[in-house]
Amino acid sequence: MNSIWDTTQELEDLSAPTILKMKGLLMRKIVQFEEPQQLLFFRLESDLAAGHISTYTGSDPLEARLYHIFQSLRYELPATYFAFSATGEDTFVHKVVHTLFTCIFEDFDVEWANHQSMASKVRRAVRGLEGLRPDLSLSKKGYTILSLEVKPPLYDRRSTVYLKDRWKLASLDKDELDHQLRENVDLPCHVTIQVFGHRMEINTMTLMNGVYHFHCNHQVYLPRARDDVGAVRNSIQALLSVETWLKEFTFPPTYQQAKARIPPQKANEAKKTLISPSQRDLFSITRE
């Protein structure tokens, strides 16, 4: 299902209409577990609620990873939900998001802490602005392929903070795709994850026929405590799916090279693009 989402009224600081094309859920494949792995999940969830995870003695790589993830969550998740009721972003990130990301994305470079996105910095520099700063960037061989924004549970999802984080991530998506094209690398998509409270939304953006498509792929709730049955499993399944998508990317020197963009040849076409698409704001019709 496609829809047009105009949030001009919600975001008062934007000087032009904001229109984003949204795609339906589950646009990319989600990892499915076999019956033995499902049974293992049930047992590990029960052990996690009890506060004790046994040592894995088998030889299956996936099962060993699941044991490692659950053992890490045992130390970081509180016994009850109330431990998160008054915590800020740093504590929430450390206890939940950081644990899941470091356990699942071991083969990628995970960088926390609000540094400027190079792709965003290049685009915004022409207006004398700093680049956007994601809470986390995931990269492989120097190529940024995922950005993350986090807000702790004390934020209300109905506030404009949620929308601003969403636009920020979509802008980072576009900037990264454009930045890689300038380097003659054609990324199939860029992934962003928005954590707002206990809800995690996984999105991808693709560039097809000159149109940026923002896909909502998966939505899950992060675990709030060790006995939060279902949320642990769903979060792990969603992030393992993201890892599978990213591992399908192949990088230089064997990576697919993008063709150079062809500049407008006719005067009327040139008038339609007063600035390069890679220099244009995703959500603004303002000409610079």
Side-chain angles (χ1 to χ4, degrees):
M1 180 178 68
N2 297 341
S3 61
I4 299 297
W5 193 359
D6 186 344
T7 60
T8 309
Q9 301 301 318
E10 288 86 345
L11 295 181
E12 299 176 357
D13 58 335
L14 291 180
S15 59
T18 298
I19 299 177
L20 178 64
K21 187 171 184 180
M22 307 293 291
K23 288 282 188 176
L25 294 176
L26 304 179
M27 299 295 294
R28 286 183 173 268
K29 186 178 180 181
I30 300 300
V31 168
Q32 300 296 329
F33 296 109
E34 302 294 336
E35 182 177 347
Q37 296 159 352
Q38 293 282 6
L39 294 174
L40 176 61
F41 263 113
F42 288 131
R43 186 167 71 252
L44 288 174
E45 285 176 330
S46 177
D47 291 345
L48 180 64
H52 175 72
I53 303 294
S54 60
T55 302
Y56 181 64
T57 58
S59 58
D60 184 271
L62 178 57
E63 292 184 358
R65 292 188 68 190
L66 294 178
Y67 266 87
H68 173 58
I69 295 170
F70 272 87
Q71 286 170 345
S72 300
L73 289 173
R74 180 176 71 87
Y75 291 109
E76 299 298 345
L77 281 173
T80 63
Y81 170 65
F82 303 103
F84 277 157
S85 59
T87 58
E89 180 175 351
D90 291 341
T91 303
F92 179 68
V93 168
H94 177 69
K95 287 185 174 297
V96 184
V97 183
H98 180 267
T99 302
L100 288 170
F101 267 75
T102 52
C103 289
I104 292 176
F105 297 103
E106 294 177 333
D107 295 333
F108 298 86
D109 298 321
V110 180
E111 185 173 359
W112 285 94
N114 301 319
H115 70 283
Q116 293 185 60
S117 161
M118 180 57 65
S120 178
K121 182 178 180 180
V122 169
R123 178 177 63 81
R124 292 163 62 89
V126 297
R127 292 183 290 159
L129 301 175
E130 288 190 350
L132 299 175
R133 299 170 181 265
D135 289 330
L136 175 144
S137 295
L138 200 70
S139 61
K140 186 76 170 181
K141 296 185 177 180
Y143 293 86
T144 302
I145 50 182
L146 183 149
S147 301
L148 169 76
E149 276 294 312
V150 179
K151 287 295 183 292
L154 58 89
Y155 280 88
D156 187 342
R157 190 172 182 269
R158 294 169 294 179
S159 70
T160 58
V161 175
Y162 170 80
L163 291 173
K164 289 179 179 178
D165 275 1
R166 199 162 184 79
W167 306 146
K168 177 180 178 181
L169 288 172
S171 293
L172 287 166
D173 271 331
K174 174 189 179 295
D175 291 342
E176 290 296 344
L177 290 175
D178 289 336
H179 184 68
Q180 302 304 341
L181 281 174
R182 284 193 293 268
E183 300 295 326
N184 291 327
V185 174
D186 187 11
L187 283 178
C189 69
H190 185 264
V191 181
T192 53
I193 296 179
Q194 182 177 10
V195 175
F196 202 88
H198 295 291
R199 177 172 175 154
M200 178 170 65
E201 300 181 8
I202 300 171
N203 312 296
T204 57
M205 180 176 283
T206 58
L207 177 57
M208 297 180 291
N209 298 321
V211 178
Y212 298 91
H213 296 267
F214 190 79
H215 309 272
C216 298
N217 293 102
H218 206 42
Q219 301 177 7
V220 297
Y221 282 89
L222 293 168
R224 300 171 297 178
R226 291 199 297 264
D227 60 352
D228 206 350
V229 177
V232 175
R233 184 189 325 172
N234 292 338
S235 298
I236 293 173
Q237 182 182 29
L239 292 177
L240 285 176
S241 300
V242 174
E243 182 199 35
T244 300
W245 307 341
L246 298 180
K247 284 188 173 181
E248 292 175 356
F249 292 8
T250 53
F251 295 91
T254 60
Y255 198 65
Q256 176 185 0
Q257 296 295 301
K259 295 181 180 179
R261 287 181 173 177
I262 301 175
Q265 299 297 321
K266 299 180 180 179
N268 61 342
E269 292 180 354
K271 290 179 181 178
K272 295 178 183 178
T273 55
L274 299 182
I275 58 174
S276 166
S278 64
Q279 298 295 329
R280 191 178 303 146
D281 284 328
L282 180 59
F283 305 118
S284 176
I285 60 173
T286 304
R287 294 293 182 256
E288 305 174 68

